Amino acid sequence: MYIVQIASECAPVIKAGGLGDVVYGLSRELENRGHCVEIILPKYDCMRYDHIWGLHDAYRDLVVPWFGTDIRCDVFCGWVHGRLCFFIEPKSWEMFFNRGCYYGCDDDPMRFAFFSKAAMEFLLRSNKRPDVIHCHDWQTGLIPAMLFEIYKYNGMEFQRTLYTIHNFKHQGFGGTEILQATGLNRPEYYFQYDRLRDNFNPFSINFMKGGITYANHVNTVSPHHAIEAQYGNEGFGLGHTLHTNQHKYSGILNGIDYEVWNPECDRYIPHHYGLTTFEDKALNKKELRDRLLLRQSDRPLVAFIGRLDDQKGVHLVHHAIYHALARGAQFVLLGSATERGINDWFWHEKIFLNDNPDVHLELSFNEELAHLIYAGADMIVVPSNFEPCGLTQMIGLKYGTVPIVRGVGGLVNTVFDWDYDTLHEPEERNGFVFFQSDNVALESAMNRAFDVWDHAPDTFKQLAQQGMQYDFSWNHPGQAYIDLYEYIRHK
Ligand code: ADP
């Protein structure tokens, strides 16, 4: 099959979170299985150019219709660790992707509406006719709509779309100007409830709703989150839309790329280790402590890695730091905040805790350090308010770093409580789970982990090793996506 992924991220060249990992990891798995994959991305000024090989121009002066006139783009092409990627660079005064950031601009809906339009024009003009166009998250939600309403009539009638939702919280909103810009026009048609109109704001179109409505199939990134989003609050207002489209809606658990995330061959960690050489994990812990100026001790090291965002349960993350310290453990946090208030709060904490030899807060995005933390920590906390899939607990498991998680979304599908899980045998359990989103619940799960560490170190090691034996690679999800592509191709 010939598959084109259209997304706003692809790790490691463009990565703000799990979306980047998924686009890269899934593409690699599909290619390993003999399929042809191409990835279309914006050409941001701030992406990691050092991860692109052989960047050259692939299409000069692509004319993209925009607001009744046009914007010209250059499309570049290069390899990101073996994946063929196309980068779209618009030549216009708006400088859509030359803002020094991936997201967070006031005109994000317009920026990514443009990207979606340009990606479709690129496919059309360069005569690319993939079997499946796989779109990701709100940034590309208009693509299935544009394919169905415009490009189908311009020679793309056989292309099928899969729309994957990685995060329902960010849906992409705009007014009639988005319709005018993209050439969809006809507000009276698109502002219908069963098309693009937002379920709650009648004056707004909703990009993600467009993706759900128009795609041939829609999925989110874990089976449990698929149910939560349809029936609970986790759909952020799109539950009814999912319900009306449930015949083409499912959940597929993400995988992680074991070539990138594997303590046996991780290029960013100083000491490789595996199940049979588990003792060598301690060497990484020593290295991590030295690097972050933490004191060497026999107490456990707890970590948090992730965006500092309301989704990730920042209040509980904050509490976890102090609770770990109260129990004599150490804590390492690696996170970056986009919200000013959260950023200021954690900077305040960082300064306050600066001289404490048992804690380090690293408030930045640092891929290399993340690898060392996964390898060096004993436990990783993931106290999310909601978590569509969550990669950090799966990476933690692979590195023998025991996850302590809140039982939501994909965390339910991947972490099985040591004491209380009823669906898994003791030898299949791999972490600690709590459910309420409050300090007491978090503390009780952390205490259970600390107690095993303190009173039954062999058991703790066994638990870590049980986690390492899980296969959360792209093997199973890769097959599930291929089955889905085949299904929508022949439907
Ligand atoms: P998200 O909701 O951000 O997509 P996931 O758990 O799905 O969360 O994926 C997070 C990914 O981003 C993981 O690969 C994690 O290691 C990485 N990550 C998150 N924050 C940082 C950071 N500050 N520095 C380095 N890597 C990070």
Side-chain angles (χ1 to χ4, degrees):
M1 258 181 299
Y2 172 24
I3 299 128
V4 167
Q5 310 269 355
I6 307 182
S8 55
E9 294 181 34
C10 175
V13 65
I14 308 164
K15 172 169 167 176
L19 170 63
D21 286 321
V22 171
V23 171
Y24 179 85
L26 173 60
S27 302
R28 193 172 80 84
E29 179 69 23
L30 296 171
E31 285 198 56
N32 285 348
R33 289 163 178 260
H35 300 284
C36 172
V37 182
E38 292 172 351
I39 306 170
I40 303 183
L41 301 157
K43 187 164 175 287
Y44 303 97
D45 56 349
C46 56
M47 63 188 187
R48 296 273 308 254
Y49 283 86
D50 54 326
H51 285 286
I52 311 175
W53 279 265
L55 191 65
H56 61 279
D57 44 334
Y59 198 115
R60 282 235 168 246
D61 273 333
L62 174 73
V63 178
V64 180
W66 192 245
F67 274 115
T69 140
D70 58 62
I71 290 181
R72 288 175 189 247
C73 298
D74 287 336
V75 183
F76 293 81
C77 165
W79 282 265
V80 173
H81 296 265
R83 310 284 78 72
L84 183 59
C85 296
F86 292 92
F87 300 94
I88 297 182
E89 179 176 64
K91 296 186 280 191
S92 77
W93 61 268
E94 288 102 333
M95 313 273 279
F96 282 130
F97 306 117
N98 292 344
R99 309 274 183 92
C101 62
Y102 301 139
Y103 313 120
C105 305
D106 289 342
D107 61 345
D108 274 0
M110 204 50 106
R111 294 169 71 215
F112 290 101
F114 179 80
F115 168 62
S116 300
K117 180 77 183 170
M120 290 308 291
E121 281 296 319
F122 175 56
L123 291 180
L124 181 72
R125 302 290 162 207
S126 56
N127 281 320
K128 291 181 183 293
R129 296 294 182 271
D131 297 303
V132 176
I133 300 174
H134 189 165
C135 312
H136 300 265
D137 263 353
W138 74 265
Q139 292 87 350
T140 57
L142 292 179
I143 287 180
M146 289 196 275
L147 179 68
F148 189 82
E149 299 283 3
I150 301 174
Y151 291 90
K152 186 170 89 174
Y153 303 104
N154 296 348
M156 295 183 75
E157 67 269 42
F158 299 116
Q159 278 51 61
R160 296 287 175 267
T161 48
L162 174 63
Y163 183 53
T164 300
I165 298 172
H166 301 257
N167 196 328
F168 280 96
K169 187 175 173 190
H170 307 285
Q171 300 180 359
F173 302 103
T176 44
E177 71 285 358
I178 299 281
L179 300 175
Q180 288 163 359
T182 52
L184 285 164
N185 294 316
R186 292 192 292 162
E188 67 294 346
Y189 178 75
Y190 290 108
F191 270 85
Q192 303 282 330
Y193 182 82
D194 56 357
R195 295 204 174 87
L196 301 185
R197 192 180 90 198
D198 184 59
N199 292 354
F200 294 93
N201 180 353
F203 304 109
S204 177
I205 60 161
N206 181 321
F207 290 30
M208 187 167 274
K209 181 172 173 180
I212 298 171
T213 306
Y214 281 96
N216 297 101
H217 194 92
V218 183
N219 78 302
T220 185
V221 288
S222 69
H224 193 261
H225 190 61
I227 297 168
E228 286 175 342
Q230 185 176 342
Y231 296 106
N233 292 333
E234 285 78 357
F236 288 90
L238 286 173
H240 184 249
T241 308
L242 294 173
H243 199 66
T244 44
N245 289 283
Q246 62 179 343
H247 58 283
K248 55 166 193 173
Y249 170 60
S250 60
I252 300 178
L253 191 70
N254 280 336
I256 54 171
D257 190 332
Y258 282 164
E259 246 179 43
V260 178
W261 299 108
N262 184 349
E264 289 177 86
C265 57
D266 188 323
R267 63 193 144 132
Y268 296 122
I269 65 174
H271 304 282
H272 291 155
Y273 63 95
L275 202 54
T276 52
T277 50
F278 186 70
E279 273 65 32
D280 292 349
K281 181 171 167 61
L283 301 174
N284 293 298
K285 179 155 65 172
K286 180 171 182 314
E287 197 82 25
L288 177 63
R289 282 172 164 153
D290 283 345
R291 177 155 166 197
L292 301 180
L293 304 178
L294 297 177
R295 73 169 147 202
Q296 300 295 337
S297 101
D298 57 1
R299 300 300 298 152
L301 181 62
V302 187
F304 170 84
I305 300 176
R307 291 179 293 114
L308 292 171
D309 173 301
D310 183 51
Q311 172 191 341
K312 301 290 173 185
V314 274
H315 287 88
L316 292 182
V317 172
H318 179 261
H319 189 71
I321 300 172
Y322 284 94
H323 187 62
L325 294 177
R327 289 284 315 242
Q330 296 182 315
F331 202 99
V332 170
L333 175 145
L334 172 61
S336 51
T338 43
E339 238 178 76
R340 177 94 191 267
I342 297 177
N343 190 44
D344 291 351
W345 179 27
F346 276 85
W347 268 101
H348 175 84
E349 291 299 334
K350 181 180 166 67
I351 293 162
F352 180 67
L353 293 167
N354 194 36
D355 297 329
N356 190 321
D358 287 325
V359 59
H360 182 90
L361 309 188
E362 184 67 37
L363 302 179
S364 65
F365 193 94
N366 187 330
E367 182 80 12
E368 289 79 1
L369 180 60
H371 285 252
L372 183 60
I373 296 175
Y374 286 116
D378 299 298
M379 306 166 192
I380 183 158
V381 281
V382 192
S384 304
N385 279 326
F386 70 96
E387 195 58 80
C389 176
L391 299 181
T392 59
Q393 84 283 10
M394 291 202 271
I395 301 172
L397 286 169
K398 184 70 182 167
Y399 283 72
T401 306
V402 174
I404 303 170
V405 308
R406 180 150 179 261
V408 287
L411 298 165
V412 171
N413 297 120
T414 48
V415 182
F416 313 118
D417 190 85
W418 177 245
D419 296 301
Y420 300 122
D421 194 289
T422 47
L423 299 174
H424 296 81
E425 297 299 324
E427 60 276 10
E428 294 172 332
R429 299 178 192 167
N430 58 13
F432 298 90
V433 184
F434 62 98
F435 290 94
Q436 303 303 322
S437 183
D438 57 37
N439 293 350
V440 178
L442 170 74
E443 280 182 21
S444 86
M446 288 179 76
N447 287 343
R448 288 191 291 122
F450 290 142
D451 287 346
V452 179
W453 172 278
D454 287 337
H455 305 302
D458 287 341
T459 309
F460 193 88
K461 180 178 160 196
Q462 184 195 336
L463 180 60
Q465 288 178 315
Q466 284 179 196
M468 292 175 86
Q469 292 176 54
Y470 269 87
D471 178 9
F472 287 123
S473 69
W474 275 104
N475 188 21
H476 297 293
Q479 186 59 49
Y481 275 105
I482 289 169
D483 293 345
L484 205 47
Y485 295 154
E486 290 287 3
Y487 173 70
I488 57 177
R489 263 180 81 195
H490 297 114
K491 203 163 65 160

mmCIF file of all heavy atoms in Angstrom, residues 282-307:
data_model
loop_
_atom_site.group_PDB
_atom_site.id
_atom_site.type_symbol
_atom_site.label_atom_id
_atom_site.label_comp_id
_atom_site.label_asym_id
_atom_site.label_seq_id
_atom_site.Cartn_x
_atom_site.Cartn_y
_atom_site.Cartn_z
ATOM 1 N N ALA A 282 21.498 0.582 37.524
ATOM 2 C CA ALA A 282 21.984 1.406 38.636
ATOM 3 C C ALA A 282 23.130 2.318 38.186
ATOM 4 O O ALA A 282 23.305 3.414 38.731
ATOM 5 C CB ALA A 282 22.438 0.506 39.786
ATOM 6 N N LEU A 283 23.903 1.887 37.185
ATOM 7 C CA LEU A 283 25.006 2.726 36.705
ATOM 8 C C LEU A 283 24.456 3.997 36.051
ATOM 9 O O LEU A 283 25.040 5.074 36.161
ATOM 10 C CB LEU A 283 25.865 1.949 35.693
ATOM 11 C CG LEU A 283 26.496 0.647 36.214
ATOM 12 C CD1 LEU A 283 27.196 -0.102 35.094
ATOM 13 C CD2 LEU A 283 27.476 0.972 37.347
ATOM 14 N N ASN A 284 23.330 3.844 35.385
ATOM 15 C CA ASN A 284 22.692 5.021 34.775
ATOM 16 C C ASN A 284 22.143 5.955 35.846
ATOM 17 O O ASN A 284 22.150 7.170 35.690
ATOM 18 C CB ASN A 284 21.575 4.586 33.820
ATOM 19 C CG ASN A 284 22.124 3.865 32.606
ATOM 20 O OD1 ASN A 284 22.869 4.438 31.837
ATOM 21 N ND2 ASN A 284 21.780 2.597 32.462
ATOM 22 N N LYS A 285 21.641 5.349 36.921
ATOM 23 C CA LYS A 285 21.133 6.185 38.017
ATOM 24 C C LYS A 285 22.266 7.030 38.603
ATOM 25 O O LYS A 285 22.112 8.222 38.858
ATOM 26 C CB LYS A 285 20.494 5.304 39.093
ATOM 27 C CG LYS A 285 19.972 6.118 40.267
ATOM 28 C CD LYS A 285 18.861 5.450 41.045
ATOM 29 C CE LYS A 285 19.285 4.199 41.748
ATOM 30 N NZ LYS A 285 18.219 3.702 42.641
ATOM 31 N N LYS A 286 23.422 6.378 38.762
ATOM 32 C CA LYS A 286 24.576 7.105 39.307
ATOM 33 C C LYS A 286 24.942 8.262 38.363
ATOM 34 O O LYS A 286 25.163 9.394 38.797
ATOM 35 C CB LYS A 286 25.754 6.143 39.469
ATOM 36 C CG LYS A 286 26.984 6.798 40.030
ATOM 37 C CD LYS A 286 28.057 5.794 40.385
ATOM 38 C CE LYS A 286 29.266 6.502 41.000
ATOM 39 N NZ LYS A 286 29.716 7.696 40.297
ATOM 40 N N GLU A 287 24.968 7.950 37.087
ATOM 41 C CA GLU A 287 25.316 8.944 36.068
ATOM 42 C C GLU A 287 24.318 10.116 36.090
ATOM 43 O O GLU A 287 24.695 11.279 36.019
ATOM 44 C CB GLU A 287 25.260 8.239 34.710
ATOM 45 C CG GLU A 287 25.955 8.942 33.614
ATOM 46 C CD GLU A 287 27.454 8.692 33.585
ATOM 47 O OE1 GLU A 287 27.907 7.642 34.092
ATOM 48 O OE2 GLU A 287 28.157 9.569 33.078
ATOM 49 N N LEU A 288 23.035 9.765 36.201
ATOM 50 C CA LEU A 288 21.987 10.785 36.222
ATOM 51 C C LEU A 288 22.163 11.691 37.446
ATOM 52 O O LEU A 288 22.076 12.919 37.355
ATOM 53 C CB LEU A 288 20.611 10.108 36.242
ATOM 54 C CG LEU A 288 19.397 11.015 36.332
ATOM 55 C CD1 LEU A 288 19.284 11.920 35.102
ATOM 56 C CD2 LEU A 288 18.105 10.186 36.465
ATOM 57 N N ARG A 289 22.425 11.050 38.590
ATOM 58 C CA ARG A 289 22.602 11.847 39.812
ATOM 59 C C ARG A 289 23.813 12.771 39.681
ATOM 60 O O ARG A 289 23.754 13.944 40.073
ATOM 61 C CB ARG A 289 22.779 10.914 41.011
ATOM 62 C CG ARG A 289 21.458 10.328 41.487
ATOM 63 C CD ARG A 289 21.689 9.272 42.537
ATOM 64 N NE ARG A 289 20.471 8.960 43.269
ATOM 65 C CZ ARG A 289 20.245 7.788 43.841
ATOM 66 N NH1 ARG A 289 21.137 6.811 43.757
ATOM 67 N NH2 ARG A 289 19.117 7.577 44.503
ATOM 68 N N ASP A 290 24.888 12.241 39.127
ATOM 69 C CA ASP A 290 26.082 13.082 38.960
ATOM 70 C C ASP A 290 25.769 14.253 38.051
ATOM 71 O O ASP A 290 26.130 15.399 38.340
ATOM 72 C CB ASP A 290 27.229 12.260 38.353
ATOM 73 C CG ASP A 290 27.871 11.363 39.407
ATOM 74 O OD1 ASP A 290 27.614 11.597 40.608
ATOM 75 O OD2 ASP A 290 28.595 10.420 39.035
ATOM 76 N N ARG A 291 25.086 13.948 36.971
ATOM 77 C CA ARG A 291 24.816 14.996 35.990
ATOM 78 C C ARG A 291 23.927 16.095 36.560
ATOM 79 O O ARG A 291 24.097 17.272 36.253
ATOM 80 C CB ARG A 291 24.183 14.371 34.753
ATOM 81 C CG ARG A 291 23.812 15.373 33.732
ATOM 82 C CD ARG A 291 23.750 14.806 32.353
ATOM 83 N NE ARG A 291 23.071 15.755 31.491
ATOM 84 C CZ ARG A 291 22.563 15.457 30.330
ATOM 85 N NH1 ARG A 291 22.665 14.235 29.857
ATOM 86 N NH2 ARG A 291 21.962 16.375 29.615
ATOM 87 N N LEU A 292 22.965 15.707 37.406
ATOM 88 C CA LEU A 292 22.020 16.695 37.934
ATOM 89 C C LEU A 292 22.415 17.176 39.334
ATOM 90 O O LEU A 292 21.626 17.849 40.005
ATOM 91 C CB LEU A 292 20.608 16.105 37.958
ATOM 92 C CG LEU A 292 20.064 15.644 36.604
ATOM 93 C CD1 LEU A 292 18.651 15.090 36.759
ATOM 94 C CD2 LEU A 292 20.071 16.766 35.577
ATOM 95 N N LEU A 293 23.606 16.806 39.756
ATOM 96 C CA LEU A 293 24.137 17.202 41.068
ATOM 97 C C LEU A 293 23.237 16.749 42.218
ATOM 98 O O LEU A 293 23.012 17.483 43.183
ATOM 99 C CB LEU A 293 24.347 18.728 41.127
ATOM 100 C CG LEU A 293 25.239 19.308 40.032
ATOM 101 C CD1 LEU A 293 25.333 20.811 40.148
ATOM 102 C CD2 LEU A 293 26.628 18.691 40.076
ATOM 103 N N LEU A 294 22.710 15.553 42.084
ATOM 104 C CA LEU A 294 21.947 14.965 43.187
ATOM 105 C C LEU A 294 22.904 14.097 43.990
ATOM 106 O O LEU A 294 23.861 13.549 43.446
ATOM 107 C CB LEU A 294 20.811 14.085 42.659
ATOM 108 C CG LEU A 294 19.735 14.777 41.833
ATOM 109 C CD1 LEU A 294 18.723 13.753 41.324
ATOM 110 C CD2 LEU A 294 19.030 15.835 42.657
ATOM 111 N N ARG A 295 22.604 13.941 45.283
ATOM 112 C CA ARG A 295 23.521 13.114 46.067
ATOM 113 C C ARG A 295 23.271 11.631 45.768
ATOM 114 O O ARG A 295 22.134 11.234 45.470
ATOM 115 C CB ARG A 295 23.367 13.411 47.548
ATOM 116 C CG ARG A 295 22.113 12.869 48.143
ATOM 117 C CD ARG A 295 22.122 12.961 49.644
ATOM 118 N NE ARG A 295 20.741 13.198 50.091
ATOM 119 C CZ ARG A 295 20.439 13.734 51.245
ATOM 120 N NH1 ARG A 295 21.366 14.115 52.070
ATOM 121 N NH2 ARG A 295 19.173 13.905 51.573
ATOM 122 N N GLN A 296 24.333 10.840 45.883
ATOM 123 C CA GLN A 296 24.187 9.400 45.736
ATOM 124 C C GLN A 296 23.529 8.889 47.015
ATOM 125 O O GLN A 296 23.886 9.323 48.105
ATOM 126 C CB GLN A 296 25.552 8.724 45.530
ATOM 127 C CG GLN A 296 26.307 9.209 44.294
ATOM 128 C CD GLN A 296 25.597 8.850 42.979
ATOM 129 O OE1 GLN A 296 24.799 7.913 42.908
ATOM 130 N NE2 GLN A 296 25.884 9.615 41.935
ATOM 131 N N SER A 297 22.547 7.991 46.856
ATOM 132 C CA SER A 297 21.900 7.461 48.060
ATOM 133 C C SER A 297 21.230 6.146 47.698
ATOM 134 O O SER A 297 21.138 5.781 46.528
ATOM 135 C CB SER A 297 20.880 8.482 48.595
ATOM 136 O OG SER A 297 19.571 8.124 48.235
ATOM 137 N N ASP A 298 20.759 5.434 48.720
ATOM 138 C CA ASP A 298 20.087 4.172 48.406
ATOM 139 C C ASP A 298 18.567 4.355 48.338
ATOM 140 O O ASP A 298 17.812 3.406 48.262
ATOM 141 C CB ASP A 298 20.451 3.089 49.439
ATOM 142 C CG ASP A 298 20.113 3.545 50.845
ATOM 143 O OD1 ASP A 298 19.591 4.681 50.994
ATOM 144 O OD2 ASP A 298 20.363 2.779 51.795
ATOM 145 N N ARG A 299 18.138 5.579 48.362
ATOM 146 C CA ARG A 299 16.706 5.861 48.280
ATOM 147 C C ARG A 299 16.254 5.841 46.819
ATOM 148 O O ARG A 299 17.051 6.090 45.913
ATOM 149 C CB ARG A 299 16.389 7.238 48.904
ATOM 150 C CG ARG A 299 16.768 7.359 50.353
ATOM 151 C CD ARG A 299 16.044 6.327 51.199
ATOM 152 N NE ARG A 299 14.593 6.516 51.133
ATOM 153 C CZ ARG A 299 13.705 5.538 51.285
ATOM 154 N NH1 ARG A 299 14.105 4.295 51.506
ATOM 155 N NH2 ARG A 299 12.410 5.789 51.213
ATOM 156 N N PRO A 300 14.971 5.552 46.571
ATOM 157 C CA PRO A 300 14.514 5.491 45.183
ATOM 158 C C PRO A 300 14.470 6.873 44.510
ATOM 159 O O PRO A 300 14.299 7.888 45.184
ATOM 160 C CB PRO A 300 13.101 4.908 45.306
ATOM 161 C CG PRO A 300 12.674 5.198 46.698
ATOM 162 C CD PRO A 300 13.911 5.212 47.544
ATOM 163 N N LEU A 301 14.605 6.842 43.215
ATOM 164 C CA LEU A 301 14.552 8.063 42.428
ATOM 165 C C LEU A 301 13.259 8.050 41.607
ATOM 166 O O LEU A 301 13.023 7.136 40.815
ATOM 167 C CB LEU A 301 15.775 8.101 41.504
ATOM 168 C CG LEU A 301 15.955 9.308 40.597
ATOM 169 C CD1 LEU A 301 16.120 10.574 41.428
ATOM 170 C CD2 LEU A 301 17.194 9.123 39.731
ATOM 171 N N VAL A 302 12.417 9.043 41.861
ATOM 172 C CA VAL A 302 11.126 9.127 41.173
ATOM 173 C C VAL A 302 11.229 10.198 40.088
ATOM 174 O O VAL A 302 11.861 11.241 40.306
ATOM 175 C CB VAL A 302 10.004 9.523 42.169
ATOM 176 C CG1 VAL A 302 8.637 9.455 41.494
ATOM 177 C CG2 VAL A 302 10.043 8.653 43.408
ATOM 178 N N ALA A 303 10.614 9.950 38.935
ATOM 179 C CA ALA A 303 10.715 10.915 37.838
ATOM 180 C C ALA A 303 9.338 11.308 37.321
ATOM 181 O O ALA A 303 8.362 10.566 37.466
ATOM 182 C CB ALA A 303 11.534 10.324 36.697
ATOM 183 N N PHE A 304 9.295 12.486 36.716
ATOM 184 C CA PHE A 304 8.151 12.882 35.884
ATOM 185 C C PHE A 304 8.728 13.464 34.599
ATOM 186 O O PHE A 304 9.632 14.305 34.653
ATOM 187 C CB PHE A 304 7.267 13.932 36.581
ATOM 188 C CG PHE A 304 6.238 14.510 35.647
ATOM 189 C CD1 PHE A 304 5.028 13.864 35.435
ATOM 190 C CD2 PHE A 304 6.501 15.683 34.931
ATOM 191 C CE1 PHE A 304 4.094 14.371 34.534
ATOM 192 C CE2 PHE A 304 5.565 16.196 34.032
ATOM 193 C CZ PHE A 304 4.361 15.536 33.840
ATOM 194 N N ILE A 305 8.219 13.002 33.466
ATOM 195 C CA ILE A 305 8.618 13.589 32.175
ATOM 196 C C ILE A 305 7.334 13.905 31.420
ATOM 197 O O ILE A 305 6.494 13.022 31.236
ATOM 198 C CB ILE A 305 9.465 12.604 31.340
ATOM 199 C CG1 ILE A 305 10.746 12.228 32.087
ATOM 200 C CG2 ILE A 305 9.795 13.197 29.960
ATOM 201 C CD1 ILE A 305 11.599 11.183 31.385
ATOM 202 N N GLY A 306 7.185 15.139 30.995
ATOM 203 C CA GLY A 306 5.981 15.438 30.218
ATOM 204 C C GLY A 306 5.728 16.921 30.131
ATOM 205 O O GLY A 306 6.421 17.725 30.770
ATOM 206 N N ARG A 307 4.744 17.276 29.333
ATOM 207 C CA ARG A 307 4.346 18.668 29.244
ATOM 208 C C ARG A 307 3.749 19.079 30.581
ATOM 209 O O ARG A 307 2.974 18.322 31.174
ATOM 210 C CB ARG A 307 3.301 18.850 28.144
ATOM 211 C CG ARG A 307 3.840 18.665 26.757
ATOM 212 C CD ARG A 307 2.763 18.826 25.703
ATOM 213 N NE ARG A 307 1.765 17.773 25.751
ATOM 214 C CZ ARG A 307 0.496 17.941 26.073
ATOM 215 N NH1 ARG A 307 0.038 19.136 26.372
ATOM 216 N NH2 ARG A 307 -0.345 16.928 26.090
#
